[in-house]
């Protein structure tokens, strides 16, 4: 019942994402709309549809609108806004915020961007005037949805949970899985399996792979 | 540039069941390393240009500063902003005695006394 393998957890809900966390790497790769505030010589080679072409040295002119991954935007952003200015993606703007406040439970957060909470939290780094509203929205949305997640994770034993997790974002899914694990561990204990020695899941998987190799 | 190939590798690992490593993706890894090498080389060439420019600038600035104000030259990097007022307030650390300014008036510089003087009589290392 103890952990066979510890993954590096996401730090996205805190001040900074974790460098070694796979979840954070995937989250940080999501793009957001930015506007260049200064011309960028030679970087147009990476954005062939936007740059001036070979004669102008592939420069990206000032004021271009681009979509950059979060990790790149964070690296280039600075308080005096010399290089980039960041626009909020639609789902964090006023319109969607009203939808979330109306009823947070019906929204498909997985479709809106599988890392809604993590990405939204890291978005607060860009000194947007709406930051207070965004953080309130993230918090209230989570509060609205939490009850259902907790209930469903604690009461779905040994069944197919795909319908329950379909509309949850990655963070909520992690929470659901933790709940499921707690439930399974408890059931295990109740059956008296807690004091029995069982093969570790890692070893079981390894054995399975070996079998298929032999079959080939 | 946006590490799409590298992201594929990360996704592959992420998808793998708990505690297992997917088979070593030699091809993918090689492509990523090549991309990294190409980016690094482009960066290096930009840096070289910048270094050349900076050395040139450094030398020009030093030559110019040496050619100003008298024998030792004038360090113009000391005050980056224009002064707000015509006068500067000075506190003396040591007794100097009488100091005669260009228009004939003299000022008595005693230890810890504070005095207003016209800005242009000061280079920062003399105070």
């Amino acid at each position: 019942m103890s952990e066979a393998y510890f993954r590096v957890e996401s730090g996205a809900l805190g001040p900074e994402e974790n460098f070694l966390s796979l979840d954070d790497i995937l989250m940080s790769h999501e793009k957001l709309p930015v506007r260049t505030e200064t011309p960028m010589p030679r970087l147009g080679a990476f954005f062939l549809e936007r740059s001036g072409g070979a004669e102008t040295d592939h420069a990206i002119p000032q004021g271009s609108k681009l979509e950059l991954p979060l990790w790149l935007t964070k690296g280039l952003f600075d308080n005096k806004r010399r290089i980039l200015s960041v626009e909020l993606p639609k789902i964090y703007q006023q319109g969607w915020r009203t939808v979330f406040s109306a009823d947070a439970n019906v929204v498909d957060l997985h479709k809106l961007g599988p890392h809604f909470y993590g990405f939204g939290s890291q978005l607060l780094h860009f000194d947007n005037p709406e930051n207070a509203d965004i953080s309130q929205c993230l918090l209230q949305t989570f509060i609205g949805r939490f009850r259902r997640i907790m209930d469903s994770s604690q009461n779905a034993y040994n069944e197919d949970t795909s319908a329950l997790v379909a509309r949850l974002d990655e963070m909520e899914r992690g929470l659901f899985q933790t709940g499921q694990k707690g439930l399974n561990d408890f059931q295990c204990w109740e059956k008296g399996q807690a004091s029995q020695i069982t093969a570790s899941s890692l070893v079981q998987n390894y054995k399975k792979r070996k079998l298929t190799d032999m079959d080939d | 540039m946006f590490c799409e190939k590298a992201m594929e590798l990360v996704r592959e690992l992420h998808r793998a069941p708990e505690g297992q490593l997917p088979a070593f993706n030699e091809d993918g890894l090689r492509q990523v390393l090549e991309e990294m090498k190409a980016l690094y080389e482009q960066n290096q060439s930009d840096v070289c240009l910048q270094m050349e420019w900076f050395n040139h600038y450094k030398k020009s600035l030093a030559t110019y500063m040496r050619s100003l104000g008298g024998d030792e030259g004038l360090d113009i990097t000391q005050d980056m902003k224009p002064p707000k007022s015509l006068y500067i307030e000075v506190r003396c650390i040591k007794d100097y005695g009488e100091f005669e300014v260009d228009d004939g008036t003299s000022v008595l510089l005693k230890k810890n006394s504070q005095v207003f003087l016209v800005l242009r009589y000061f280079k920062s290392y003399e105070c």
Side-chain angles (χ1 to χ4, degrees), chain A residues 168-208:
Chain A
L168 302 184
D169 96 323
E170 290 298 317
M171 185 272 267
E172 291 171 334
R173 284 186 185 181
L175 202 57
F176 185 87
Q177 270 164 28
T178 315
Q180 286 273 283
K181 185 168 186 314
L183 180 65
N184 289 331
D185 286 350
F186 175 70
Q187 293 298 332
C188 210
W189 171 81
E190 262 205 327
K191 293 183 205 157
Q193 277 175 6
S195 48
Q196 289 176 354
I197 299 178
T198 49
S200 151
S201 54
L202 283 186
V203 175
Q204 282 179 351
N205 287 333
Y206 180 64
K207 276 207 176 112
K208 280 193 190 125

Side-chain angles (χ1 to χ4, degrees), chain B residues 54-66:
Chain B
F54 183 69
N55 282 327
H56 197 65
Y57 177 79
K58 214 170 53 172
K59 289 198 185 108
S60 306
L61 184 62
T63 321
Y64 178 67
M65 294 203 302
R66 216 175 299 129

Side-chain angles (χ1 to χ4, degrees), chain A residues 3 5 7 22-23 25-26 29 31 42 46-47 67-69 71-72 170 202 205 209, chain B residues 1-4 7 10-11 13-14 16-23 39 42 46 49:
Chain A
E3 292 292 331
Y5 162 69
R7 11 171 49 160
L22 293 183
D23 299 301
I25 296 173
L26 291 173
H29 197 65
K31 300 210 181 16
R42 284 188 299 282
F46 301 117
F47 300 90
E67 294 222 328
L68 297 183
W71 54 268
L72 190 54
E170 290 298 317
L202 283 186
N205 287 333
R209 273 175 98 190
Chain B
M1 173 220 205
F2 290 142
C3 324
E4 286 304 330
M7 286 311 290
V10 170
R11 278 181 208 120
L13 179 59
H14 185 75
E18 195 75 3
Q20 272 186 32
L21 285 179
L39 280 175
Q42 282 180 13
D46 283 346
L49 281 175

